[in-house]
Amino acid sequence: MEIHFIHVKFYSIGVYLEPEVVGHLDQFKGKSAKELEDNEEFFNALISAPVEKFIRLVVIKEIKGAQYGVQIETAVRDRLAAEDKYEEEEEEALEKVIEFFQSKYFKKLSVITYHFPANSATAEIVVSLEGKEDSKYVIENANVVEAIKKWYLGGSSAVSSSTIQSLASTFSQELSK
């Protein structure tokens, strides 16, 4: 998140994919980490690969759920609008996601997990807060789900360049085996 032109990290991002994902990325064998990092087709293939995906955010600097929700809302709405996919159904689905985060307060080490099942257009969000029972929400709008995947895994347009660099480096090594 940028605050007065200063980039502040509020969470670290972990990406977990089924090992079979490598088989869906064969066309990128032999590419260097830098080549993969700059290749939008690679990240599109990664996002669309029919394997289970988990994105886990671990909070490193306290943030209000409302602040995090605004970040998601802006990123998802802007992506969908740019692709001319932001209709009433997407607006309603996105509002429900924002409502889910609204009342939460993320202390250090709180965890937000996005689960994207293989071959499904849904996503489950699980929030783990210290001393509280996990809360869950399922997003059923395929366009909103896709936009969230792109926000975290979308190459040059992703929220975290260090996550993209790490994915490119890891897959460069895996695809050279």
Side-chain angles (χ1 to χ4, degrees):
M1 181 186 299
E2 276 192 29
I3 303 172
H4 300 290
F5 304 105
I6 298 171
H7 187 77
V8 179
K9 289 188 177 191
F10 284 92
Y11 48 81
S12 61
I13 302 171
V15 178
Y16 305 89
L17 307 159
E18 290 182 37
E20 307 82 80
V21 72
V22 175
H24 297 282
L25 302 170
D26 279 343
Q27 69 267 35
F28 302 101
K29 278 190 179 203
K31 302 274 187 195
S32 70
K34 184 65 177 150
E35 288 173 310
L36 291 180
E37 186 181 331
D38 297 335
N39 189 328
E40 294 302 314
E41 287 181 31
F42 167 74
F43 289 101
N44 288 336
L46 180 63
I47 289 167
S48 63
V51 299
E52 192 170 28
K53 299 169 185 75
F54 289 90
I55 297 171
R56 174 166 281 172
L57 313 178
V58 178
V59 175
I60 55 177
K61 183 168 179 58
E62 292 184 4
I63 185 171
K64 293 178 183 173
Q67 289 174 293
Y68 177 70
V70 166
Q71 294 297 307
I72 292 174
E73 180 180 32
T74 302
V76 170
R77 184 186 57 232
D78 291 354
R79 283 177 195 284
L80 292 175
E83 297 173 7
D84 202 24
K85 293 181 178 177
Y86 192 68
E87 303 293 334
E88 197 172 309
E89 296 84 11
E90 285 73 25
E91 183 177 7
E92 288 174 16
L94 191 52
E95 283 176 9
K96 289 178 183 172
V97 172
I98 305 322
E99 284 175 28
F100 173 72
F101 286 112
Q102 191 71 36
S103 64
K104 302 194 176 12
Y105 186 80
F106 300 109
K107 294 180 183 173
K108 188 174 181 173
L109 302 180
S110 297
V111 177
I112 304 166
T113 304
Y114 291 88
H115 173 222
F116 304 96
N119 298 311
S120 173
T122 66
E124 180 182 58
I125 305 170
V126 179
V127 171
S128 303
L129 302 173
E130 186 181 330
K132 296 186 178 179
E133 194 172 309
D134 288 357
S135 51
K136 299 178 182 185
Y137 180 74
V138 176
I139 307 169
E140 296 181 346
N141 182 289
N143 289 331
V144 171
V145 169
E146 188 77 6
I148 291 172
K149 285 184 201 176
K150 288 178 179 177
W151 191 36
Y152 287 110
L153 305 174
S156 64
S157 65
V159 68
S160 168
S161 58
S162 59
T163 300
I164 296 309
Q165 290 167 354
S166 178
L167 285 168
S169 176
T170 299
F171 278 105
S172 176
Q173 292 171 13
E174 287 298 315
L175 290 166
S176 67
K177 292 180 180 175

